[in-house]
C-alpha cells in the first residue's frame, strides 16, 4: 500500500442535507416553540466555527443562541440535553431509534455519494482505507454495512473517540488500518472531510506528529454545489483553515495523489 486514506462520512459518503441537517432544523424549531428554524447558512456558519461537529450539540447551541437573542439566559433551560438528543434521533432514525431493523426516519432516504465498487478501485490502486466520523456508531454502520455493503470496514465513530478537531480518532483509525493490513508505520495519510472541523483535525495531527505526511482534502457537501457564491465561499473557508485541495466529489481525489 502506498497511502492510507480515511474518510469522513456525512457530506462525503452520504448526502445529509435532508436527513441530519433536516433533523437538526426540526429539533431547533421544536425547542424554540416553532419560533426559529435555522437555514442551511445558519448551520454552515455555526459549523464554520470549527468546534460544532456533533449535530446534537449544534442543535442545542442554536437553541441557546436563539433564546439569548430574545434576551434570555442559556442557564437552566426548560429541557435537558437528553431530550434534545431523543427528539433528534426520532426524526433521524425513527420512532424506535435503538432498533436499526425498524428505522423509518430520514436516514433511510439518504442519497449515497459513492458505491461499493469505488472502494474496490481504491484497493486496486494500493490505497488502504477506512472511516473516521463524528456520526454515531449505529448511523455510520447502517450506511457502510447495510447501504454500501462493506464488510467490517475500519470505522472510528462517535462512541470511540473525542469529537473532531481532536485527532485522537484519526490516529486510532490509522492504527487499526496498519494492524489489519500489516502496514509499515509512517505511510502518508489522506483525510477527506467536508467541514472546518475535519480540516482542523489534520492541522492538529500535523502538530502532534510532524514526521508524517498529512494531506487534507476538503469535499464540498451537496447543499452548496448548486450555488456559485455558496460554493466559492465554502471552498475558501476550507482552504483558509488548511485544506490542501477542495474537490466537488469524493471520487475526484485519487487524481490528486
Amino acid at each position: 500500500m502506498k497511502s492510507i486514506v480515511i474518510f469522513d462520512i456525512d457530506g462525503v459518503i452520504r448526502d445529509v442535507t435532508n436527513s441530519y441537517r433536516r433533523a437538526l432544523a426540526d429539533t431547533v424549531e421544536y425547542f424554540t416553540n416553532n419560533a426559529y428554524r435555522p437555514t442551511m447558512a445558519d448551520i454552515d456558519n455555526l459549523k464554520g466555527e470549527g468546534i460544532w461537529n456533533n449535530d446534537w450539540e449544534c442543535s442545542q447551541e442554536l437553541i441557546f443562541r436563539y433564546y439569548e437573542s430574545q434576551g434570555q439566559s442559556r442557564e437552566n433551560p426548560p429541557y435537558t440535553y437528553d431530550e434534545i438528543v431523543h427528539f433528534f434521533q426520532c426524526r433521524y432514525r425513527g420512532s424506535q431509534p435503538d432498533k436499526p431493523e425498524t428505522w423509518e426516519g430520514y436516514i433511510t432516504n439518504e442519497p449515497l455519494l459513492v458505491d461499493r465498487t469505488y472502494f474496490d478501485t481504491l484497493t486496486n490502486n494500493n490505497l488502504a482505507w477506512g472511516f473516521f466520523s463524528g456520526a454515531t456508531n449505529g448511523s455510520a454502520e447502517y450506511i457502510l454495512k447495510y447501504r454500501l455493503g462493506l464488510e467490517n470496514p475500519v470505522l472510528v465513530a462517535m462512541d470511540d473517540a473525542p469529537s473532531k478537531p481532536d485527532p485522537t480518532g484519526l490516529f486510532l483509525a490509522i492504527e487499526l488500518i496498519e494492524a489489519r493490513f500489516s502496514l509499515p508505520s509512517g505511510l502518508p495519510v489522506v483525510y477527506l472531510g467536508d467541514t472546518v472541523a475535519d480540516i482542523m483535525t489534520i492541522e492538529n495531527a500535523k502538530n502532534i506528529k510532524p514526521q508524517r505526511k498529512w494531506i487534507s482534502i476538503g469535499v464540498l457537501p451537496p447543499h452548496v454545489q448548486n450555488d456559485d457564491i455558496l460554493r466559492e465561499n465554502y471552498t475558501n473557508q476550507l482552504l483558509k483553515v488548511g485544506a490542501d485541495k477542495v474537490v466537488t466529489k469524493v471520487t475526484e481525489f485519487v487524481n490528486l495523489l
Side-chain angles (χ1 to χ4, degrees):
M1 295 295 176
K2 60 186 181 182
S3 297
I4 293 173
V5 181
I6 301 179
F7 299 90
D8 180 35
I9 294 177
D10 301 336
V12 176
I13 301 301
R14 60 180 173 189
D15 181 354
V16 297
T17 304
N18 290 308
S19 56
Y20 261 124
R21 283 172 170 257
R22 183 179 175 188
L24 193 162
D26 287 354
T27 302
V28 174
E29 185 175 45
Y30 179 81
F31 285 99
T32 58
N33 298 314
N34 300 318
Y36 169 53
R37 183 178 181 86
T39 65
M40 289 294 169
D42 293 335
I43 297 170
D44 284 341
N45 288 337
L46 184 66
K47 287 182 175 289
E49 295 177 11
I51 58 172
W52 304 106
N53 192 62
N54 181 316
D55 282 342
W56 301 335
E57 294 176 355
C58 281
S59 300
Q60 183 182 56
E61 183 63 19
L62 287 171
I63 294 165
F64 282 163
R65 293 188 185 187
Y66 168 75
Y67 281 116
E68 286 178 332
S69 74
Q70 303 302 304
Q72 300 179 41
S73 171
R74 66 170 60 202
E75 301 299 327
N76 300 315
Y79 45 79
T80 66
Y81 180 69
D82 287 344
E83 288 174 326
I84 291 174
V85 172
H86 180 72
F87 183 90
F88 184 108
Q89 292 295 77
C90 286
R91 283 289 198 272
Y92 181 63
R93 294 183 175 184
S95 57
Q96 299 186 76
D98 296 325
K99 296 181 178 181
E101 66 275 11
T102 69
W103 287 354
E104 80 280 2
Y106 301 153
I107 189 174
T108 60
N109 296 315
E110 290 173 331
L112 298 179
L113 303 176
V114 294
D115 57 24
R116 175 68 181 81
T117 59
Y118 172 66
F119 297 99
D120 294 332
T121 300
L122 297 181
T123 302
N124 293 336
N125 279 278
N126 298 318
L127 299 172
W129 47 270
F131 303 89
F132 169 41
S133 171
T136 63
N137 292 60
S139 168
E141 289 172 357
Y142 180 86
I143 291 299
L144 300 182
K145 296 180 180 180
Y146 291 100
R147 297 284 308 279
L148 279 172
L150 301 178
E151 296 181 8
N152 194 31
V154 169
L155 168 65
V156 175
M158 179 187 289
D159 297 339
D160 307 315
S163 293
K164 294 176 276 190
D166 187 318
T168 301
L170 180 66
F171 295 150
L172 176 57
I174 293 167
E175 292 173 7
L176 293 172
I177 291 170
E178 288 175 339
R180 177 172 296 188
F181 299 104
S182 301
L183 301 179
S185 60
L187 286 177
V189 173
V190 182
Y191 185 54
L192 296 98
D194 70 315
T195 67
V196 167
D198 292 322
I199 306 305
M200 289 174 63
T201 300
I202 287 291
E203 294 303 299
N204 290 335
K206 290 178 182 177
N207 292 332
I208 296 171
K209 298 186 177 184
Q211 70 278 12
R212 191 161 205 156
K213 182 177 181 181
W214 302 93
I215 302 171
S216 58
I217 306 293
V219 181
L220 293 178
H223 75 272
V224 305
Q225 294 199 25
N226 295 323
D227 184 300
D228 290 342
I229 295 177
L230 284 179
R231 185 170 63 248
E232 181 178 0
N233 289 343
Y234 206 99
T235 298
N236 290 337
Q237 186 179 59
L238 296 179
L239 291 172
K240 183 178 180 180
V241 295
D244 294 296
K245 186 72 176 180
V246 176
V247 297
T248 57
K249 296 180 180 179
V250 68
T251 52
E252 296 173 355
F253 91 96
V254 176
N255 299 327
L256 304 175
L257 300 181

